[in-house]
Amino acid sequence: MGLTEAIAAQFAGDCLGNRVGKATAAHALQRRALLIAVAAVGAGCRAEPAATDAQANAPVALAHVGLDGAPGSLAQWQGRQVVLNVWASWCPPCRAEMASLQTLSDQLDPARALVVGLAIDDDPNLVREYLRRAPVRFPIVLQAQQHSAARELAVRALPETLLLDTAGRVIGRELGARDWTDATLQARWRLPLRARLDGAQADA
């Protein structure tokens, strides 16, 4: 199923009430708006990894909640680069991207970088249910407040992936699903990979 077909199927499910569940009408409208934005991304709208001056000067300290309910903040990972993937369990392109994000997580030098998933689901049980089926081992956290990802991270569509530097500042972003095993993308983001470090040590 392609991106357009997946979005159409999601819309059909929402219209039939199969996936809205207990969500309010406002939440359903927000979900549809995000899917429309994803459709635009699939049609070729892309944000290159380039930070604005405001982004570069403002470390992100977004509050989050762990799957166990423990409070936390993105600031806890300062000192390492963070590949922050904003996603939702009901978003087909988000789910399709998870496998390559896990591969990237396995390739990164854990002392210098990590992948973190920020789920924006209204119901954390839906995230837990999805993760029981998905082979995802990198950290997954939840918004501490509704809409905080859109408000504090300027997230415009799902999935959206941000690159935070070691001080927690946004220095890049990708709008829409990507293949995170792609060497060109990894090089453009200058990610510290185990293979590169091992190769550099071997050459030395």
Side-chain angles (χ1 to χ4, degrees):
M1 180 183 291
L3 177 61
T4 303
E5 290 83 356
I7 292 171
Q10 179 68 42
F11 265 99
D14 279 353
C15 292
L16 291 173
N18 292 334
R19 298 196 57 86
V20 174
K22 297 181 180 179
T24 64
H27 292 161
L29 289 172
Q30 179 196 24
R31 182 179 299 184
R32 291 189 180 102
L34 283 168
L35 286 167
I36 290 171
V38 172
V41 172
C45 178
R46 175 177 177 176
E48 296 292 340
T52 65
D53 290 340
Q55 287 174 327
N57 293 326
V60 176
L62 179 73
H64 62 70
V65 179
L67 293 175
D68 59 357
S73 166
L74 292 180
Q76 73 192 69
W77 291 298
Q78 288 184 10
R80 290 186 285 175
Q81 288 182 311
V82 177
V83 178
L84 179 66
N85 179 254
V86 184
W87 68 290
S89 65
W90 45 261
C91 165
C94 301
R95 298 195 300 266
E97 187 181 37
M98 281 293 174
S100 71
L101 282 166
Q102 182 57 59
T103 299
L104 174 63
S105 177
D106 294 338
Q107 292 175 336
L108 289 174
D109 172 16
R112 299 174 61 192
L114 77 159
V115 175
V116 176
L118 175 64
I120 67 164
D121 292 67
D122 297 327
D123 185 351
N125 290 322
L126 296 178
V127 179
R128 297 186 185 99
E129 180 182 349
Y130 169 74
L131 293 175
R132 281 196 291 267
R133 304 189 306 269
V136 176
R137 298 181 300 279
F138 57 82
I140 299 290
V141 297
L142 307 165
Q143 294 182 116
Q145 297 180 347
Q146 287 184 352
H147 315 309
S148 60
R151 183 174 60 251
E152 299 186 39
L153 301 175
V155 170
R156 295 163 288 167
L158 295 180
E160 187 162 346
T161 305
L162 287 66
L163 177 62
L164 310 184
D165 68 10
T166 56
R169 298 169 298 200
V170 178
I171 59 172
R173 65 175 68 223
E174 290 284 342
L175 191 60
R178 296 287 181 265
D179 177 6
W180 292 97
T181 65
D182 180 71
T184 301
L185 177 57
Q186 293 176 351
R188 183 154 52 85
W189 276 38
R190 300 180 180 177
L191 298 173
L193 305 179
R194 294 176 189 266
R196 288 183 188 167
L197 294 176
D198 293 344
Q201 291 171 355
D203 291 341

